[in-house]
Amino acid sequence: MSVPRLETAIGRIRMKNPVMTASGTFGYGTEYADLVDFRQLGAMVVKGISLEPWAGNPPPRLAEVRGGLLNAIGLQNPGVEGFTRDYLPALRELGIPVIVNIWGRTLEEYEAVATRLEAAEGIAGLELNVSCPNIKEGGIAFGTDPAMLERVVRAVRKQTSRTLIVKLAPNVTRIDPLARIAEEAGADALSLINTYPAMAIDIETRRPVLSNVTGGLSGPAIHPIAVKLVYEAVRAVQIPVIGIGGIVEARDAIEFLIAGARAVAVGTVNFTDPTAALAVVAGIRDYLVRHNLSDVSELVGSVRGP
Amino acid sequence: MHADVTSRTIEEAEVALQQTLGPDYRLMTLVSPNIARRARPGQFVHLRLPGLDPAYLLRRPFSLHRAVGDRITILYKQVGVGTAAMARLRSGDRVSVMGPLGNGFPPLPDGFHPLLIGGGYGSAPLFFLAERTSQKGVVFLGGKGRTDLLGDSDFKALGWDVHMATEDGSAGCKGLVTAMLEKWLAEHSSLPTVWYACGPDGMLRAVALLAVEHGVQAWLSLDRRMGCGAGVCLACVVKIQDPEKAGSWKWARVCRDGPVFESRQILWEGEFA
């Protein structure tokens, strides 16, 4: 049989396959340039950009825990001006859609970043980070409070003509009302999940392992949580959903697709194997062949009843 | 910074040899032709250990102790789950190696005498440097006790002048390696030197102070907890002087911008520009 079709679309972003790399796990396009053929990726999401350069948290910023990683980088980034000047030119050369994750401490900061990026060339979409657990102001507060979520999505929507993806937090009682609010406020797509708030303690020193005390858990430990939330979000909205959380190999991504995700993002595993996302693409293709499917869209949302 | 990082690779390397080095340390030699060929002293590799509990995801960074022909050698101490898994590897086992990573030590400028200062297994990358530096110099090795002094006979075999210090006095001078260095400097004040150091932060910080005092260039190799090893995750950052803005600092990634920094660049904990 012929090679199955892997093309998918998220808003106006056309992707040659449904696999992107998640924010904060793949740099700015140059760090892995000699190790990875970027053109084989569906898209890449750049680490959270804010209005001003941001130093993030002091080290230790990372802890390895069973089944995952705990991080509190604290959104260190060069600021929107530094990003467009120093990093965007190389990203434009990658030949794949570049999605910029953005965040702010206030509504005005979110708006200002979106406005500045509207003027820049070579950006396919924005991913609105309303779910970072590691900064003191803003961040996750925007993603867990329905009224704040609506305001920030609406505000950014007014500033951008690009595909707007809203990245939701997992630590909410119910995901469906927040998913609906983001959709009604103008989001073109949702991505979920961000890291899960968590903590580790060094039993010898009895101190938190991270300088920030708490951090965000990523990796395979959170994958089933993400599958459940993607499954529920897909049922709540019409817009596409991007599944993120603990993908290690193709089967994890396929689970998201079956749950209804139109695309997936590969994150933590990139640190172990920068070519993991490419292996996921190949694995999805093999799965489609094996199951006699000619188009990945046949898989999306194909989950059956219990 | 002073070296490019454009020729990395990931390859499946075969364990050729595991050797013990005293009671606490081991040497692992891997057949890793593409990395061995490209590696320079001061660079490191990121290993994915097959025997490691799969619940632990990250690769483990190790500085290169040697690179000869198609082989690389790593000197390590069994300190945690990663190094325990490493110690269980046997000849013929396969390990995914990413590297060579980091900037490495800059070459010795003409007319200078190299001084190497190693604390414990910090001597590992210094041996690689000594092997690749035609100009012989002086090596200062320090540790808590005799078993922490590694490779002294190897440095001697290369023709280097070796001085040793232990905190418990079980070998060489009793005391800190930096005290021994200071004494040596007093006796050789007219000799133009460049220093290369690797070891615990306390030692590096003392070396940095001496370097300023003596007006000498000192290249320090830092060890930090790492995630990706490629400059992406921003876990292993240290504060350095911002070269573009006097009096202010910025983060540098030890894995990508380092692990080697000139001593004056680094702002140690509690130190702000």
Side-chain angles (χ1 to χ4, degrees):
Chain A
M1 85 169 255
S2 61
V3 180
R5 204 177 158 272
L6 289 179
E7 284 86 352
T8 190
I10 297 293
R12 286 170 304 287
I13 305 171
R14 306 184 66 79
M15 294 164 54
K16 65 170 74 84
N17 65 61
V19 182
M20 40 177 100
T21 52
S23 175
T25 67
F26 226 60
Y28 297 102
T30 53
E31 292 86 346
Y32 284 136
D34 53 330
L35 294 173
V36 180
D37 180 4
F38 276 75
R39 289 162 307 173
Q40 292 185 45
L41 293 170
M44 110 162 234
V45 186
V46 174
K47 186 169 176 70
I49 300 295
S50 53
L51 184 58
E52 302 292 339
W54 192 249
N57 294 322
R61 292 172 159 191
L62 186 75
E64 190 183 36
V65 295
R66 282 180 185 275
L69 293 186
L70 198 53
N71 92 80
I73 307 299
L75 293 173
Q76 179 188 329
N77 80 91
V80 69
E81 227 168 275
F83 167 71
T84 48
R85 184 187 61 232
D86 301 333
Y87 297 96
L88 191 55
L91 286 163
R92 278 193 207 110
E93 302 301 312
L94 294 178
I96 55 168
V98 172
I99 297 162
V100 182
N101 183 289
I102 66 168
W103 66 277
R105 287 169 295 174
T106 62
L107 200 66
E108 291 72 27
E109 284 186 2
Y110 274 103
E111 284 180 306
V113 179
T115 308
R116 308 265 169 111
L117 291 176
E118 190 66 6
E121 264 175 60
I123 297 169
L126 302 182
E127 182 180 59
L128 203 57
N129 185 351
V130 289
S131 44
C132 180
N134 296 328
I135 53 166
K136 295 205 166 45
E137 306 163 72
I140 205 159
F142 283 100
T144 49
D145 178 317
M148 279 174 84
L149 178 67
E150 187 185 356
R151 277 207 297 278
V152 72
V153 176
R154 238 178 247 295
V156 172
R157 177 75 285 171
K158 284 205 189 98
Q159 304 305 322
T160 189
S161 60
R162 306 189 200 281
T163 293
L164 179 62
I165 303 162
V166 176
K167 187 169 187 176
L168 295 175
N171 47 312
V172 293
T173 311
R174 292 182 61 107
I175 199 75
D176 43 317
L178 292 159
R180 271 189 218 104
I181 284 167
E183 180 179 42
E184 282 158 18
D188 296 307
L190 303 176
S191 59
L192 56 154
I193 57 179
N194 207 318
T195 57
Y196 202 98
M199 180 173 176
I201 298 170
D202 182 323
I203 62 164
E204 297 305 322
T205 63
R206 304 190 193 184
R207 294 178 196 283
V209 176
L210 299 176
S211 73
N212 191 53
V213 181
T214 61
L217 182 63
S218 65
I222 67 167
H223 179 66
I225 298 173
V227 172
K228 178 216 182 228
L229 292 168
V230 165
Y231 177 84
E232 290 173 351
V234 163
R235 269 143 197 81
V237 297
Q238 303 299 312
I239 52 178
V241 170
I242 301 163
I244 315 173
I247 294 177
V248 172
E249 51 192 352
R251 54 182 289 175
D252 309 316
I254 292 165
E255 235 183 307
F256 278 134
L257 298 173
I258 293 172
R262 201 81 65 83
V264 298
V266 174
T268 297
V269 73
N270 294 322
F271 299 156
T272 312
D273 179 6
T275 64
L278 306 187
V280 169
V281 175
I284 294 172
R285 189 179 291 123
D286 290 349
Y287 178 92
L288 295 175
V289 170
R290 199 147 46 79
H291 290 263
N292 233 351
L293 299 169
S294 59
D295 195 310
V296 72
S297 65
E298 295 170 50
L299 197 58
V300 173
S302 63
V303 61
R304 297 172 180 150
Chain B
M1 297 205 163
H2 48 76
D4 69 279
V5 278
T6 51
S7 55
R8 299 167 301 170
T9 189
I10 298 174
E11 68 183 351
E12 288 293 316
E14 195 179 296
V15 177
L17 207 60
Q18 282 264 28
Q19 297 161 282
T20 54
L21 200 63
D24 303 321
Y25 300 91
R26 286 167 164 271
L27 288 168
M28 182 166 81
T29 300
L30 296 159
V31 180
S32 187
N34 289 305
I35 291 169
R37 191 157 36 84
R38 299 171 192 189
R40 286 175 289 109
Q43 290 189 299
F44 69 97
V45 288
H46 219 14
L47 305 187
R48 190 171 183 186
L49 299 164
L52 180 62
D53 179 343
Y56 296 104
L57 309 173
L58 293 176
R59 287 174 179 265
R60 263 64 186 163
F62 293 93
S63 63
L64 287 165
H65 176 53
R66 295 189 80 184
V68 180
D70 62 356
R71 294 177 174 209
I72 56 172
T73 302
I74 289 154
L75 194 168
Y76 65 101
K77 185 179 188 178
Q78 196 175 314
V79 290
V81 289
T83 42
M86 205 160 151
R88 288 192 298 272
L89 294 174
R90 292 290 168 261
S91 302
D93 287 345
R94 298 180 84 79
V95 180
S96 167
V97 188
M98 181 158 96
L101 303 174
N103 55 1
F105 292 115
L108 182 74
D110 286 340
F112 285 84
H113 213 66
L115 302 191
L116 312 184
I117 306 126
Y121 58 92
S123 66
L126 301 177
F127 182 72
F128 190 10
L129 180 64
E131 256 191 335
R132 295 283 175 96
T133 305
S134 51
Q135 160 96 51
K136 313 289 179 214
V138 188
V139 186
F140 300 88
L141 298 177
K144 288 201 163 53
R146 175 71 190 97
T147 56
D148 298 309
L149 301 179
L150 303 167
D152 46 297
S153 53
D154 298 328
F155 283 107
K156 279 178 196 153
L158 288 177
W160 288 60
D161 178 17
V162 179
H163 297 253
M164 299 189 285
T166 51
E167 287 171 45
D168 66 3
S170 56
C173 300
K174 184 170 170 28
L176 296 173
V177 67
T178 43
M180 181 173 57
L181 169 67
E182 208 170 351
K183 215 173 119 211
W184 187 94
L185 291 167
E187 293 158 8
H188 301 82
S189 56
S190 60
L191 196 67
T193 56
V194 171
W195 306 354
Y196 300 91
C198 183
D201 268 18
M203 184 202 93
L204 294 179
R205 198 166 173 169
V207 168
L209 284 172
L210 285 174
V212 170
E213 194 183 307
H214 291 264
V216 175
Q217 205 169 49
W219 297 98
L220 313 180
S221 176
L222 300 188
D223 186 8
R224 287 293 182 278
R225 188 188 297 170
M226 285 181 188
C228 66
V232 161
C233 76
L234 308 180
C236 64
V237 294
V238 289
K239 276 183 184 170
I240 63 163
Q241 311 259 13
D242 189 339
E244 281 151 28
K245 246 188 286 169
S248 61
W249 64 271
K250 64 173 198 170
W251 292 120
R253 301 159 298 179
V254 169
C255 69
R256 182 87 174 192
D257 306 316
V260 178
F261 297 90
E262 205 291 312
S263 61
R264 287 157 189 79
Q265 291 180 283
I266 302 166
L267 294 171
W268 302 92
E269 204 171 325
E271 222 177 56
F272 293 92

